[in-house]
Amino acid sequence: MTAEVADTGTRGRVEFSTTDPDLAIDYLQSAYGTNMRVSGARGGYVYAHSRLDGGSFAIDEAVMPLRFDIRQDPFNALVIGTIHAGRFERECGGITERFLPGDVFIDAEPTLPATVRMLDIRGQTVMLDLAVLAQVAATSPTRTPGPIRFTGYQPVSPAVAEQWRHTVSYLGEMLGNTEAAAQPLIRGNAARLLAATALTTFPNTAVTALTAQDRHDATTATLRRATAFIEQHAQSDINMADIATAANVSIRAVQCAFRRHLDTTPMAHLRAVRLDHVHHALLTADPSRGATVTDIATRWGFYNYTRFAARYRRTYGVNPRHTLHNR
């Protein structure tokens, strides 16, 4: 029995299939970076796995036939599953839970081992680097925050579970776009969106409330330092922690300063600055030499043309193609 591993031609997409359970287990251990001790798997059935790789995150689809048990070591990454078909049972940290089609759940606490039992599973997993999670949840650029601990492995409500599914679908579409997935700005933004959605979806210990010091630091001076940094680094994959470090205050203080003085958010301001760069690039580009709106917008982190064009029209009153061809 052999395994087939195919590069589909889409950047970062790999597909694997085999009827050999030992090869399947070896592949899964490599894909998830942990040891797995498996019992119950049998040959003669197709084990399949596909991955869209976003660098600091990955979106996987898997088919695991029959019933088998896995004792897995810690992933040291956040792994969130969604069941399409079959049944899934997991014990982690003394908590046993069972999941059915449609359920969204954290596979296991990232730093703890777990025992899982699968029965004719077809499902999706999303794997996220813990460093991105810590970056999004950080409360101060001057100290290393404590590890984020999830206090529950199921969504806080059906509504946020649906938002998680919607976000993953959106990012899967993004990774399927070869030109967009090649852009560091887009991949970085995607990873942080995924982390923020995970922190909203599942109960956790991340600190999000404003402190008295944050309010005190939300000054016009803070705003000037933050906006200057954004202007100078708009083409780089910068994040909230970078902006806060440049302003020498906490992330929450920067957010409060933007809300208080500009009635916006730092990331919305960053998008506006990047949109302005797109506008100026369109004014100077030469379509006769192959310049296109899509290429210029993607270079500045805008991959969804419909959303980009709508934002551009709201800001400049014309379609971006009009700017390019009537400069």
Side-chain angles (χ1 to χ4, degrees), residues 249-264:
V249 296
S250 75
I251 288 174
R252 304 297 176 252
V254 172
Q255 292 170 328
C256 185
F258 272 84
R259 181 60 66 192
R260 179 183 294 172
H261 302 293
L262 294 180
D263 194 26
T264 188

Side-chain angles (χ1 to χ4, degrees), residues 300-323:
W300 284 97
F302 301 98
Y303 106 87
N304 186 303
Y305 181 81
T306 301
R307 295 181 182 181
F308 158 74
R311 181 179 289 129
Y312 189 94
R313 284 193 299 271
R314 287 196 302 270
T315 304
Y316 300 103
V318 296
N319 189 289
R321 287 197 175 97
H322 181 274
T323 303

Side-chain angles (χ1 to χ4, degrees), residues 64-68 83 85-89 117-122:
M64 298 289 121
L66 303 176
R67 169 180 167 171
F68 57 98
I83 300 296
R87 288 185 290 172
F88 185 97
E89 179 179 315
R117 175 169 294 166
M118 301 184 188
L119 179 60
D120 287 330
I121 283 291
R122 181 170 61 84

